[in-house]
Amino acid sequence: MPIRIPDLLPARKTLEDEGVVVMDDTRATRQDIRPLQIGLLNLMPNKERTETQFTRLIASTPLQIDLTLVRITDHASRNTPEEYLQTFYKTWEEVRARKFDGFVVTGAPIANMPFEEVRYWQEMVDIMDWTQSNVHNTMFICWGAQAALHHFHGARRYRMDTKAFGVYRHTVVDTRSPYLRGFSDDLAIPVSRYNDIDRTSLGEDLEILIDNDQIGVCMLGDRKYRALYMLNHLEYDNRSLADEYERDRNAGLDIEPPLDLYPDNDPSRTPLNRWRSHGHLLFQNWINEIYQTTPYDIKEVGLTHG
């Protein structure tokens, strides 16, 4: 089933070239079903690249999706033109009265800053609280996951001795989770973070779903707050880690190549994507679980915990 996105969104051509089916409003209105309403709060500087990565995965479902791109209300982007944002994005203030079946909160490049010192932290708190009344299920990614774990559960994070940077093997802990149907027992997942979560600060409401003994928890489920917390990056494309490595190296930083990204760990060779299928599978499972449990009348979203 197609995903409906704005006709002129730059990601559209990329997705169509990859064989992802997108639809326009005329075609969508002929379908006698209720599309799932999914919001994407994009906190990353490169909005176009990030929205393409997530749209690619959200579209990997047989269900019709209406995707709304959302941004922080009072935050000027230094990397994305305001005209682009006004054309394709809604501010959170513009959507806060709406209900969503699913909502994704991305990471942000502010990993070393205390949460309360982030300029838009109060709006983030309002958004996280708002998900409990206006969203059926939320997926928090990377910094977004750390922020939500801190806010909802008081989970503590700490800076690791060295940055976890590369493609790491992870173990599926709960094979019965509906979000992990079809997953291999272990899988490769891209990682790029300085921080880890203190396991002793994780309460009983949280269930570790994917783990790594070396670099820490990868994904947790939260039945109480109807959320998933993904600390790593199944949404990354082939070049995400490679481009980060080259950017930092060109800036004069002493950085090792991302672990196990390149064949034979040779940065002169083309990176291999060994996580693509699990990225698609995670979002298929997430959206399917939303479809199975969300109220048909979207006005009832958030009224019960279902």
Side-chain angles (χ1 to χ4, degrees), residues 200-249:
T200 66
S201 69
L202 299 176
E204 295 181 356
D205 293 324
L206 294 167
E207 179 187 11
I208 297 176
L209 301 178
I210 304 176
D211 201 2
N212 178 288
D213 292 338
Q214 179 184 1
I215 58 168
V217 175
C218 173
M219 191 170 84
L220 304 102
D222 184 350
R223 186 179 299 274
K224 179 179 180 180
Y225 290 100
R226 307 188 310 282
L228 286 179
Y229 308 104
M230 167 54 86
L231 290 150
N232 300 321
H233 293 283
L234 279 173
E235 83 279 2
Y236 271 4
D237 56 40
N238 295 41
R239 292 285 318 170
S240 296
L241 291 174
D243 289 346
E244 182 178 344
Y245 167 63
E246 292 172 7
R247 178 203 67 196
D248 289 350
R249 193 177 63 165

Side-chain angles (χ1 to χ4, degrees), residues 4 31 42 53 61-62 77 87 92 98 107 127 142 166 214 286:
R4 182 167 65 175
Q31 302 210 349
N42 191 349
Q53 291 172 345
T61 169
S77 174
T87 301
W92 177 66
R98 288 180 52 185
I127 290 170
C142 195
Q214 179 184 1
W286 180 63

Side-chain angles (χ1 to χ4, degrees), residues 61-228:
T61 169
L63 303 172
Q64 182 180 324
I65 306 292
D66 280 359
L67 181 66
T68 301
L69 300 175
V70 184
R71 61 180 172 125
I72 291 291
T73 301
D74 186 26
H75 181 67
S77 174
R78 291 179 295 180
N79 301 86
T80 305
E82 183 64 23
E83 181 181 4
Y84 184 95
L85 296 174
Q86 291 185 4
T87 301
F88 298 115
Y89 279 75
K90 301 289 186 183
T91 66
W92 177 66
E93 285 293 340
E94 291 174 316
V95 304
R96 67 182 302 172
R98 288 180 52 185
K99 302 270 189 166
F100 289 89
D101 300 294
F103 203 74
V104 178
V105 179
T106 75
I110 45 178
N112 299 322
M113 186 181 298
F115 294 116
E116 289 75 10
E117 294 181 14
V118 174
R119 194 173 69 81
Y120 51 81
W121 178 247
Q122 185 53 56
E123 183 163 347
M124 277 296 299
V125 169
D126 293 341
I127 290 170
M128 290 184 286
D129 289 341
W130 165 87
T131 64
Q132 296 307 290
S133 59
N134 288 61
V135 178
H136 182 64
N137 195 290
T138 307
M139 185 186 296
F140 296 95
I141 309 290
C142 195
W143 180 87
Q146 296 174 21
L149 286 167
H150 168 76
H151 176 62
F152 288 134
H153 297 278
R156 296 185 297 273
R157 67 174 182 176
Y158 64 92
R159 189 175 177 88
M160 295 184 286
D161 293 336
T162 58
K163 181 181 181 180
F165 186 49
V167 182
Y168 293 78
R169 301 299 302 186
H170 287 74
T171 301
V172 170
V173 177
D174 184 2
T175 58
R176 298 169 300 173
S177 169
Y179 303 109
L180 303 179
R181 289 192 187 99
F183 269 53
S184 304
D185 293 336
D186 76 339
L187 64 151
I189 300 180
V191 181
S192 178
R193 55 184 169 88
Y194 290 95
N195 298 310
D196 193 13
I197 300 297
D198 181 353
R199 291 173 187 265
T200 66
S201 69
L202 299 176
E204 295 181 356
D205 293 324
L206 294 167
E207 179 187 11
I208 297 176
L209 301 178
I210 304 176
D211 201 2
N212 178 288
D213 292 338
Q214 179 184 1
I215 58 168
V217 175
C218 173
M219 191 170 84
L220 304 102
D222 184 350
R223 186 179 299 274
K224 179 179 180 180
Y225 290 100
R226 307 188 310 282
L228 286 179

